[in-house]
Amino acid sequence: MKHTEIESKWQKVWADKQAYKSENNSTRPKYYALDMFPYPSGSGLHMGHIASYTPTDIISRYKRTKGFNVLHPMGYDAFGLPAEQYAIQTGVHPAITTEKSIASFRATLQRYGFSFDWSREISTCEPDYYKWTQFIFLKLFEKGLAYQKEVPVNWCPALKTVLANDEVIDGKSERGGHPVIRVPMKQWMLKITDYAERLLQDLDKIDWPERTKEAQRNWIGKSEGATVRFNIKNFPEDSFEIFTTRPDTIFGVSFMVLAPEHPLVKKICTPDQSSRVSDYIASTAGKSEVDRKANTEKTGVFTGAYALNPVSQKEIPIWIADYVMMDYGSGAIMAVPGHDERDFEFAQKFDLPVVRVLESETDLPFTGEGKLCNSDFLNGLTKTDAIQKMFTFLEEKNLGKKQIQYKLRDWLFSRQRYWGEPFPILQTQDGKLQAVPENELPVLLPEVANYEPSDSGEAPLANNKEWVNYSADLKRETDTMPGAAGSSWYFLRYTDPRNSSAPFSTEAAQYWMPVDLYVGGAEHTVGHLLYSRFWTKVLFDVGLSPVDEPFQKLAHQGMILGPDGEKMSKSRGNVIPADEVAKDSGVDALRCYICFLGPMDKDKPWNSSGIDGVKRFLDRLTRLAINETTGESIATDSELPAEVEKLLHKTIKKVSEDIEAMSFNTCISQMMILVNELYKHDCKSKKVLLPLAQLLQPFAPHTAEELWSKLGGDGLVVTAAWPQFKPELCTDDTVTLGVQVNGKMRGTIEISVTADEAEAVAAAMKVATVTSALAQQTPTKVIYKAGKILNLIAPAK
Ligand code: ANZ
């Protein structure tokens, strides 16, 4: 039979028998294997999807046969920009485009035979799903974790929407690469910063790739330092705080820098500096955060005002510069050009004094460890001791205090777009916000005549006046939620996807959570993977989620590159269409080949001839069991040759262990070795072919099921209990044994672990170094322990 026929035949059987259905009320141990659900785009499923969904599918299939109740769901992250962009261009409602894409994705995923429990399929754009996204938003709102604020946002004029920091890459929008500028706008924000410390600490509880944890740690960016208050000369009423991680360097401060947006700037700036200051503020206003942080030439202007160093009482000029950010620390710094690179560059450019306060062999700026100098009571102390001493000093003198700072910003949560969840929020005429009553959820996404957002940033929903006017004195919020809203809790919904009275039941979540294995791209590290952790913690705090970490184990799949070793892209013309490969060689060959390419987490180039090798392996195995022309079984019931039996058990052991370790390429090669051995012995016995079909099942389920049924296996191979290996058959056949003569090592022999004494001695007598040590004598005594030691005793001559 052709592979396409075999595939559809078994897919139908699996579906009819609900072979992959997971049960909510089960006494079996559970296993939850999750894929990052796809965005159903018009361009369909590609190699990257298959490469990402194959590992979890292998593990799910394996765990099922190991007796686990496996939850392996699939759904669609269905709100988002592309469907909306398409709607703007064509007038087709995003719901229609999305539905079409979903239908095509579903059909493709089913054609690939992934073992999803389709009864749990969800889509974030369906009202019965986003009702609960809105419900969770209201929980955040009630807890004060969702608030509106006028903030400088990343505004993308081309897309006419604001973007979150993780959606902006090098000053350009992640989608489309359009320029992004900073403008102040009233936005919904989520207080993820309240959770910074827990998000950081709890990384220690989860089994994630170290580099991903480290990237989250850096994004959260915890700094321990101090705030220090500086008075301003001639402004006895005013003072300002700075944040520093290096209070030890306070004697090295030679100027102060305020962020251009700092509220004191206009007040303290002297008349003669006023126009320069205003010009500078105007020139930096539109600059993106990324540009301001970029290591370009420093800019800034003097305000004309002076601060007083609270420790030395020296007068220090106050400057403004855009390398100081308003939304970090206090929006102001004490500049220590001797020991900070940015301050040093600034001092060089504007000819400001550079003072050394730490000893070093090298020139300034020096940012390493050293002893303090030119620093009065700190002189001679190490940096660490000096920092501690300053903490105490500042607190005692009431000049400052210890402070912990995080780089993490609150999550910008509104979009001026159409295709997203409406906020369940009403506004009174005097601007007060209130929740839509819970029994009115979902707030359905209304129809609008025009999907296009306006240049002023007003969202398309504002066009539907009837919808906006909730009542005579209440108006609806017209922004929508960002794409990451629906994906921040979908893993919880899968546990109880048809619940209509709650986002999920506590019992269901209690049973299934946390996710045991989550596989997806590392590009989501500081977006989705952080947001999901945050929402789970909030849901935990309000008593809805039983866990405060959603994903116990995370793995990233590497990219499958084009045959040229470059990322597959249409413009490079190196795209290998998964569909065509599946059509030509079969889904199973494609799955196995993806595994065979190399370690799952590595990027690896596609090799077009390699797929044929894997296909040959599957065909060769099939030919051992099934007559190609008649389709009948040709397998025998004969006993296995000892070598074959041993290799079978070794293969069971290795495949079991390697699947657990997600080392799939080595599983495939081990099975190839076994098949070669079967050909060598012309062995077609069911005693090896049946368990081999079982081992193959997670990787090549259709081929395995066909083999299993032709060989007369019981029930379905996808649910048959995983084969056991006999440990005693898995030991190595031969060992290298040291041969001693009168207790002295004289040589080595390769010998079977079970060889008896006579065999061992005979082998030793063939080793020249041994016979010469014996000086042609026959040993009078032999000490032999199989696999361990051989000592030949002969009277000394
Ligand atoms: C004096 C100093 C001396 C500093 C020195 C560093 C080295 P992290 O580790 O990233 O937290 N800083 C504080 N607030 C800032 C802001 N809003 N914009 C830009 N820079 C700011 O960095 C903390 C250091 O970054 C602080 O410590 C401050 O410079 C600067 F030898 O204070 B430091």
Side-chain angles (χ1 to χ4, degrees):
M1 243 202 275
K2 280 187 50 147
H3 59 77
T4 41
E5 289 166 39
I6 293 176
E7 285 160 14
S8 46
K9 170 172 114 189
W10 289 112
Q11 284 164 15
K12 185 164 182 316
V13 173
W14 296 331
D16 290 348
K17 302 221 158 143
Q18 302 195 326
Y20 307 127
K21 200 163 159 57
S22 40
E23 297 188 7
N24 266 20
N25 296 308
S26 167
T27 50
R28 278 183 295 157
K30 67 95 184 182
Y31 192 87
Y32 187 174
L34 182 66
D35 290 317
M36 288 188 181
F37 63 168
Y39 176 79
S41 72
S43 47
L45 213 67
H46 54 72
M47 195 65 89
H49 291 117
I50 312 293
S52 169
Y53 302 156
T54 299
T56 40
D57 196 61
I58 292 171
I59 301 273
S60 297
R61 290 176 170 282
Y62 168 72
K63 290 283 177 185
R64 256 180 230 112
T65 64
K66 292 286 276 187
F68 287 84
N69 181 23
V70 172
L71 175 53
H72 188 39
M74 185 38 81
Y76 311 97
D77 189 10
F79 274 134
L81 269 179
E84 180 167 329
Q85 297 289 67
Y86 186 75
I88 291 168
Q89 285 157 21
T90 61
V92 179
H93 196 285
I96 295 174
T97 338
T98 306
E99 203 184 296
K100 259 200 195 147
S101 300
I102 288 180
S104 136
F105 265 61
R106 185 189 297 118
T108 315
L109 289 166
Q110 290 179 340
R111 211 167 52 242
Y112 275 89
F114 289 113
S115 65
F116 297 124
D117 177 353
W118 286 105
S119 71
R120 292 181 189 249
E121 188 191 52
I122 56 176
S123 163
T124 56
C125 70
E126 292 298 331
D128 65 359
Y129 182 88
Y130 72 69
K131 168 178 180 173
W132 301 112
T133 308
Q134 292 172 339
F135 171 91
I136 295 169
F137 175 81
L138 288 183
K139 295 284 162 223
L140 287 147
F141 183 65
E142 282 161 23
K143 282 193 58 126
L145 291 168
Y147 65 99
Q148 265 196 327
K149 193 186 172 195
E150 178 99 10
V151 285
V153 295
N154 304 310
W155 171 252
C156 178
L159 296 173
K160 294 182 183 167
T161 188
V162 302
L163 298 169
N165 283 345
D166 71 284
E167 292 173 310
V168 182
I169 293 166
D170 295 334
K172 302 242 163 71
S173 64
E174 186 188 15
R175 277 191 205 273
H178 307 291
V180 174
I181 56 168
R182 296 285 277 183
V183 290
M185 264 190 177
K186 197 166 200 179
Q187 298 292 329
W188 280 99
M189 308 289 293
L190 296 188
K191 248 190 217 163
I192 190 171
T193 51
D194 270 15
Y195 283 72
E197 189 60 30
R198 283 166 71 187
L199 288 167
L200 186 66
Q201 295 303 331
D202 290 351
L203 284 170
D204 295 340
K205 320 202 277 205
I206 49 183
D207 179 10
W208 286 24
E210 199 40 53
R211 67 187 154 113
T212 309
K213 289 200 207 181
E214 200 49 29
Q216 286 207 350
R217 283 188 196 107
N218 290 334
W219 188 259
I220 296 168
K222 183 178 181 175
S223 289
E224 294 180 35
T227 54
V228 187
R229 185 159 284 285
F230 282 70
N231 291 325
I232 309 168
K233 190 183 164 191
N234 298 334
F235 289 87
E237 307 281 287
D238 291 295
S239 65
F240 64 97
E241 270 189 356
I242 59 97
F243 171 70
T244 178
T245 47
R246 296 291 307 279
D248 58 310
T249 61
I250 198 155
F251 289 95
V253 177
S254 55
F255 56 101
M256 310 295 293
V257 186
L258 304 182
E261 306 88 346
H262 197 286
L264 273 180
V265 173
K266 294 223 165 94
K267 183 165 185 189
I268 62 172
C269 137
T270 54
D272 57 323
Q273 288 297 99
S274 157
S275 71
R276 252 165 281 185
V277 165
S278 309
D279 288 352
Y280 185 71
I281 293 175
S283 76
T284 59
K287 258 188 168 179
S288 76
E289 192 172 322
V290 180
D291 286 341
R292 284 174 60 162
K293 283 187 178 159
N295 198 13
T296 47
E297 199 177 329
K298 296 278 169 294
T299 59
V301 289
F302 179 41
T303 62
Y306 289 85
L308 299 168
N309 185 321
V311 182
S312 70
Q313 301 308 327
K314 270 202 190 138
E315 286 183 12
I316 313 159
I318 304 174
W319 288 64
I320 60 170
D322 68 1
Y323 77 93
V324 173
M325 306 296 151
M326 191 57 226
D327 64 351
Y328 187 66
S330 317
I333 66 160
M334 60 179 214
V336 183
H339 304 281
D340 181 275
E341 312 250 0
R342 293 169 305 171
D343 299 346
F344 183 81
E345 282 170 36
F346 196 85
Q348 292 291 83
K349 169 123 187 232
F350 296 105
D351 218 9
L352 293 158
V354 179
V355 181
R356 176 188 282 280
V357 290
L358 264 90
E359 286 166 1
S360 74
E361 309 260 284
T362 58
D363 290 338
L364 297 177
F366 168 65
T367 56
E369 304 287 321
K371 289 231 165 96
L372 274 284
C373 61
N374 304 323
S375 295
D376 197 332
F377 60 91
L378 299 176
N379 283 341
L381 293 178
T382 63
K383 170 176 153 184
T384 325
D385 291 347
I387 290 177
Q388 288 311 318
K389 183 149 187 177
M390 278 305 295
F391 281 149
T392 322
F393 180 88
L394 292 168
E395 280 181 3
E396 273 174 4
K397 297 261 161 21
N398 213 4
L399 297 170
K401 55 178 189 314
K402 269 195 187 175
Q403 166 108 358
I404 289 176
Q405 275 297 327
Y406 300 91
K407 293 257 152 51
L408 186 66
R409 300 277 73 104
D410 275 346
W411 176 8
L412 189 129
F413 198 68
S414 40
R415 300 289 181 274
Q416 292 68 50
R417 303 297 311 217
Y418 176 71
W419 191 231
E421 299 86 349
F423 282 89
I425 291 290
L426 305 169
Q427 199 175 38
T428 62
Q429 274 166 349
D430 53 359
K432 290 215 176 61
L433 300 172
Q434 65 185 60
V436 169
E438 223 169 271
N439 62 9
E440 288 179 25
L441 297 184
V443 174
L444 291 174
L445 186 59
E447 295 301 325
V448 292
N450 181 5
Y451 304 109
E452 190 119 22
S454 72
D455 292 326
S456 67
E458 199 174 48
L461 298 195
N463 297 331
N464 187 332
K465 293 283 177 282
E466 203 181 313
W467 181 81
V468 172
N469 295 317
Y470 177 84
S471 67
D473 39 30
L474 288 171
K475 278 192 190 319
R476 288 186 189 274
E477 168 62 62
T478 58
D479 280 359
T480 52
M481 298 186 203
S487 61
S488 290
W489 73 283
Y490 75 112
F491 40 89
L492 283 158
R493 183 68 177 170
Y494 280 139
T495 68
D496 194 11
R498 306 291 169 248
N499 195 325
S500 56
S501 58
F504 47 88
S505 76
T506 314
E507 301 79 61
Q510 183 80 49
Y511 177 71
W512 287 115
M513 292 297 288
V515 170
D516 296 284
L517 174 66
Y518 194 23
V519 174
E523 69 274 18
H524 299 290
T525 299
V526 297
H528 162 65
L529 287 169
L530 194 61
Y531 298 146
S532 301
R533 295 184 59 219
F534 165 47
W535 274 40
T536 303
K537 286 183 189 304
V538 174
L539 291 172
F540 176 79
D541 291 351
V542 300
L544 281 171
S545 170
V547 293
D548 66 351
E549 279 297 333
F551 316 126
Q552 182 48 38
K553 184 183 168 78
L554 173 74
H556 301 302
Q557 83 286 357
M559 245 189 305
I560 308 253
L561 306 169
D564 55 359
E566 299 287 331
K567 198 174 160 176
M568 283 190 199
S569 80
K570 280 200 188 115
S571 60
R572 274 206 195 86
N574 62 350
V575 175
I576 301 288
D579 259 7
E580 274 174 36
V581 179
K583 224 177 276 158
D584 293 347
S585 309
V587 166
D588 286 350
L590 176 55
R591 286 171 63 105
C592 289
Y593 185 56
I594 283 171
C595 297
F596 194 61
L597 274 175
M600 113 168 211
D601 58 342
K602 297 278 175 321
D603 292 347
K604 49 230 157 203
W606 183 264
N607 169 344
S608 294
S609 62
I611 180 98
D612 301 334
V614 175
K615 171 96 180 107
R616 239 182 345 262
F617 153 67
L618 294 175
D619 290 344
R620 258 159 69 79
L621 170 55
T622 306
R623 279 199 305 271
L624 281 172
I626 304 168
N627 178 303
E628 273 179 293
T629 23
T630 64
E632 296 301 315
S633 166
I634 47 171
T636 67
D637 288 309
S638 54
E639 291 303 319
L640 298 182
E643 286 99 326
V644 170
E645 193 183 13
K646 286 197 92 169
L647 190 59
L648 168 63
H649 284 268
K650 276 191 181 175
T651 303
I652 298 174
K653 180 166 189 277
K654 182 153 178 66
V655 172
S656 313
E657 288 169 356
D658 288 3
I659 287 188
E660 299 268 5
M662 309 223 302
S663 170
F664 304 129
N665 53 332
T666 52
C667 295
I668 305 279
S669 24
Q670 181 67 29
M671 288 187 275
M672 288 176 164
I673 292 171
L674 180 56
V675 168
N676 286 341
E677 190 74 8
L678 296 183
Y679 271 91
K680 219 162 94 189
H681 291 268
D682 194 23
C683 173
K684 297 179 169 159
S685 171
K686 288 179 193 165
K687 294 197 167 71
V688 61
L689 290 173
L690 279 167
L692 182 51
Q694 291 183 278
L695 298 184
L696 187 69
Q697 183 270 133
F699 305 90
H702 309 88
T703 311
E705 199 70 86
E706 180 71 9
L707 283 170
W708 184 257
S709 90
K710 287 279 157 72
L711 292 165
D714 234 5
L716 293 174
V717 76
V718 296
T719 46
W722 190 252
Q724 304 272 326
F725 61 86
K726 293 187 185 150
E728 67 273 20
L729 292 178
C730 296
T731 49
D732 269 324
D733 295 348
T734 60
V735 282
T736 308
L737 202 66
V739 182
Q740 300 175 356
V741 175
N742 294 331
K744 251 199 183 154
M745 186 68 76
R746 295 297 186 184
T748 59
I749 50 173
E750 275 289 311
I751 193 166
S752 156
V753 273
T754 54
D756 63 13
E757 186 178 305
E759 279 177 73
V761 175
M765 296 311 267
K766 287 190 193 131
V767 180
T769 47
V770 173
T771 45
S772 80
L774 282 169
Q776 322 310 328
Q777 301 182 82
T778 323
T780 48
K781 195 176 163 205
V782 175
I783 303 167
Y784 175 64
K785 283 211 179 84
K788 297 218 168 64
I789 181 175
L790 176 61
N791 190 359
L792 307 175
I793 312 291
K797 255 198 157 174

